[in-house]
Amino acid sequence: LVDRLARSLDWVYAALERVLDKDEFTARLVKLCKEVEAEGVLQRIYLGINRSDYMLDHGKDLLQVELNTIASSFGCLSARVTAMHHFLLERNPDNAFLADFLGQTSFEPGERVPQNLADKALPRALATAAKLQLEQAGASGSNVRPLVLFVVQDGERNSFDQRWLEYELWDAHGVATIRRSLTQLATRARLEGDERTLLVDDQRVALVYYRAGYTPNDYPGEEQWDARTLLERSSAIKCPSVQYHLVGTKKVQQELARPGQLEKFVSAEDAERLRRSFAGLWSLDRGAQDDGARAAVEDAIANPGNYVVKPQREGGGNNIYGENVRKALQTMSKEELAAHILMQRIFPKEVDACLVRRNEVVRVKALQELGVFGTFIGGEDGKVYLNEHAGHLLRTKQTDVDEGGVATGFSCLDSPYLV
């Protein structure tokens, strides 16, 4: 679905049109996308490492929170957490605390804790795509070895999750990596030849993997935008390309929830299956609202705790909750409202949890959010090289916390335990 949307840019541009007046960041991404398309796209292989996040509403319906198409993180660390939980359960079969906490006298981690192979599947997708890029460019079999560029933030704080990817890329696939920020790339990256081959410090790059570039904070000046533009113009694979990046916006998610939109890209049967996982999503663009959206806005003003207002941002800490929902709906200009969406708030069932923070164990009432990774490699003419489930991420947070990011300190990594 993401790939088909990214190849249907007129639909994406139309979906985002009313967002752009008050959202300079999304407007800049759209401008970049149009410039790349106008020049002629030389990227022939597309790689998506996506994560779809869900919550179990009232313990019954698994509803989608959002779809992440850029810098979907914590796959590798989640796999290590799952391995740790397997180890603890196997080594402590008679532990009284675990028996009391889980409400069971025996533990079967092999059956109860699902296997998590994100630390294998994600680097496998990166390696496969990088090697395909060299084959497509006619460079395979030569002295050129596939090289993956990790685009990271200045002063990167999440390097440990990224390092597991790097190590597995080399150990299992013989694919080397380099790490550069957009600031560094502004002076150390260049394009060569008619194919616009990407060179960083004179090394040929087959694949660009963004772990930065999803927030305006990553672009403090024009030099960072110049670097992003150079990368997008190159023939190297971008994960994600700017087209995939735009597909991951909240507005696109909301537009897909409108009747008849999913059917433009998938079969009626698949559309129905996807729609069953959609939470309520409504436009805040007054010029494009139907009766259902207007009714949802009225109810959100009356009952703000049942809704969330979302901008086109990733990275956590951007959404509007509680009484601030009413305030936003009543005070924002129509242009500001059009740059946001309204979403049904999902209410997971509270669970008992033990959170480890700053070397202390705290037993709390908590909520959980499940992220499911998927990897996709597509080529020209709709050819699919890879399309598979790629592990999961479970985040647990205290019930009084609204946001759910791990890097932002709102939640902890966890593992599902099936009962």
Side-chain angles (χ1 to χ4, degrees), residues 85-225:
H85 286 148
H86 270 274
F87 172 82
L88 291 174
L89 291 174
E90 288 171 349
R91 286 291 299 272
N92 298 278
D94 302 315
N95 186 279
F97 174 80
L98 287 174
D100 174 64
F101 182 72
L102 297 174
Q104 294 177 317
T105 56
S106 64
F107 320 118
E108 301 165 341
E111 298 179 8
R112 301 286 188 177
V113 182
Q115 191 175 33
N116 190 356
L117 297 179
D119 56 344
K120 305 296 181 184
L122 302 184
R124 180 168 63 246
L126 289 164
T128 301
K131 292 174 182 178
L132 278 170
Q133 199 276 341
L134 291 185
E135 291 177 12
Q136 293 276 327
S140 61
S142 68
N143 293 327
V144 179
R145 301 181 67 177
L147 179 67
V148 174
L149 166 66
F150 280 47
V151 180
V152 298
Q153 293 178 324
D154 291 311
E156 179 65 64
R157 297 184 303 154
N158 194 21
S159 60
F160 294 103
D161 182 58
Q162 299 162 12
R163 293 294 185 184
W164 281 105
L165 288 171
E166 295 181 34
Y167 301 151
E168 181 68 11
L169 274 169
W170 179 254
D171 292 342
H173 305 283
V175 174
T177 60
I178 55 175
R179 299 166 57 86
R180 302 288 186 272
S181 68
L182 288 170
T183 302
Q184 292 171 320
L185 290 168
T187 57
R188 298 166 70 171
R190 62 185 176 89
L191 304 182
E192 183 176 79
D194 294 338
E195 280 294 305
R196 301 200 288 271
T197 300
L198 177 61
L199 301 178
V200 176
D201 295 333
D202 294 325
Q203 301 175 85
R204 178 176 184 153
V205 172
L207 190 151
V208 178
Y209 177 47
Y210 288 109
R211 293 297 293 258
Y214 54 85
T215 168
N217 296 334
D218 291 333
Y219 304 88
E222 283 301 308
E223 60 179 336
Q224 288 79 21
W225 280 112

Side-chain angles (χ1 to χ4, degrees), residues 55-60 347-352 366-368 399:
M55 282 183 168
L56 195 61
D57 190 39
H58 297 288
K60 296 184 297 183
F347 292 98
K349 184 179 179 180
E350 287 186 355
V351 298
D352 290 319
L367 307 176
Q368 295 173 317
T399 54

Side-chain angles (χ1 to χ4, degrees), residues 51 53 367-369 393-397 404-406 411-412:
R51 195 188 72 228
D53 295 335
L367 307 176
Q368 295 173 317
E369 183 174 345
L393 157 71
L394 188 71
R395 287 170 290 183
T396 297
K397 63 181 182 181
V406 175
S411 62
C412 298

